[in-house]
Amino acid sequence: MSFGQGGPSWGPGGNHTPDWAALADESAARNRRKKWLMIGGGALATAATAAIVATAVISTNNNGGSTGSDKNASQLPGPADLPTGSAEPEPSFSTVAPPPPPDPKDYISDVKKDRAPISIDSFYPGRKLTMGDRVYAKGATHRTTNCAATTQGALGSILTNNGCDQVIRATYSKAGVAVTVGVAVFETEAQAKKAAQQASGGLASLSGAGVPTFCRGGSICRRTANSYGRYAYFTVGGFTNGKNVTTADKNVFAVGDDLTDFTFRQIRHRGEVQASAAATAATN
């Protein structure tokens, strides 16, 4: 008994023996069909995926008419939405300018501000004066409210007429040269300046404490007059042996200039101390 092509066959004697060759050919044919179906299906799937991607790209590029962006410009975060670089608060600064520091001269130009104590030691402290490599021995000192009594010639009336409150004097000497320096105190800068500008005659020398009488009895001596703030200051200097001073006597000029410079520094320092104290009090 036999079937059509591809079917089983039985041999003589009624044995049901399969036709192995036919079965193998049929199986191979089925496998080939299945393989081509799988390849074809994969190709179709790939093509479909590519089409979807291409459609998405085209759709994105045509969205809003822009290219190279996956969002409209209106959809991008604004500057206010962007995160800041730091979570710490930004420093703030006052727009009010700090007041300028006090001017030291203001505190020595008027009695209403110049409240520091006035004494001989506040102007001429210690037992000697050192200026660079020059050392001067300190002699007698004197303080009085009788301003005219500390002068010679017309200077007494000039001090009195301009409102002099008091005069402090100190004498320094070195190698036969002596100089007396005097500080006249006024209430205002204008009074002190006028007294120094009008100066005539001069300061009376102050002897004692190891310094003999000098610049008295008509001997020629060097005299100076200056002012700073409400203070006018004067010097008289010469030889302790009574010799007249000439322009060639540089040692007399040097001592006088040192004492003038030192007195100016002391007056200025007085203003600096008071201005510093006022600035400190203002910040507390």
Side-chain angles (χ1 to χ4, degrees):
M1 179 177 184
S2 65
F3 290 89
Q5 185 178 1
S9 64
W10 291 268
N15 294 328
H16 299 279
T17 302
D19 187 347
W20 298 113
L23 290 173
D25 291 340
E26 185 177 353
S27 176
R30 284 197 304 269
N31 288 336
R32 284 194 298 270
R33 286 195 300 273
K34 185 176 180 181
K35 181 178 180 180
W36 283 111
L37 287 173
M38 290 179 66
I39 294 173
L44 290 174
T46 302
T49 302
I52 292 172
V53 173
T55 302
V57 171
I58 293 172
S59 175
T60 299
N61 287 342
N62 290 334
N63 189 7
S66 63
T67 61
S69 174
D70 58 354
K71 287 189 177 183
N72 290 333
S74 61
Q75 294 177 303
L76 294 175
D81 300 326
L82 296 175
T84 59
S86 173
E88 297 181 359
E90 295 291 333
S92 60
F93 301 93
S94 173
T95 57
V96 180
D103 184 355
K105 191 177 180 183
D106 289 344
Y107 288 84
I108 53 169
S109 296
D110 194 297
V111 68
K112 295 177 181 179
K113 281 191 173 183
D114 187 11
R115 308 304 297 172
I118 295 176
S119 66
I120 293 174
D121 286 340
S122 67
F123 284 95
Y124 304 106
R127 301 174 62 180
K128 61 183 179 179
L129 174 63
T130 301
M131 297 289 286
D133 59 351
R134 302 172 299 281
V135 180
Y136 305 108
K138 184 178 178 181
T141 60
H142 181 253
R143 177 186 181 189
T144 181
T145 57
N146 185 358
C147 299
T150 65
T151 66
Q152 289 181 317
L155 184 59
S157 60
I158 292 172
L159 296 182
T160 301
N161 293 339
N162 282 290
C164 176
D165 291 331
Q166 60 179 297
V167 173
I168 295 173
R169 287 182 296 167
T171 296
Y172 291 86
S173 63
K174 179 184 178 182
V177 174
V179 175
T180 296
V181 57
V183 179
V185 185
F186 299 83
E187 289 191 356
T188 67
E189 179 181 16
Q191 291 173 320
K193 182 181 293 186
K194 187 175 181 181
Q197 291 173 342
Q198 293 178 343
S200 178
L203 191 69
S205 63
L206 181 64
S207 58
V211 178
T213 301
F214 66 102
C215 293
R216 298 291 182 100
S219 61
I220 298 174
C221 292
R222 186 196 183 212
R223 304 178 186 274
T224 66
N226 294 277
S227 70
Y228 188 68
R230 70 186 188 104
Y231 301 91
Y233 49 104
F234 309 88
T235 66
V236 54
F239 295 102
T240 56
N241 62 6
K243 175 186 173 183
N244 290 334
V245 176
T246 69
T247 55
D249 295 315
K250 303 301 181 183
N251 50 344
V252 175
F253 283 75
V255 178
D257 290 346
D258 278 347
L259 286 178
T260 296
D261 186 32
F262 179 74
T263 302
F264 167 77
R265 293 183 188 183
Q266 291 294 90
I267 297 171
R268 183 179 62 184
H269 180 66
R270 180 181 178 87
E272 291 170 345
V273 170
Q274 295 182 90
S276 177
T280 301
T283 57
N284 293 336

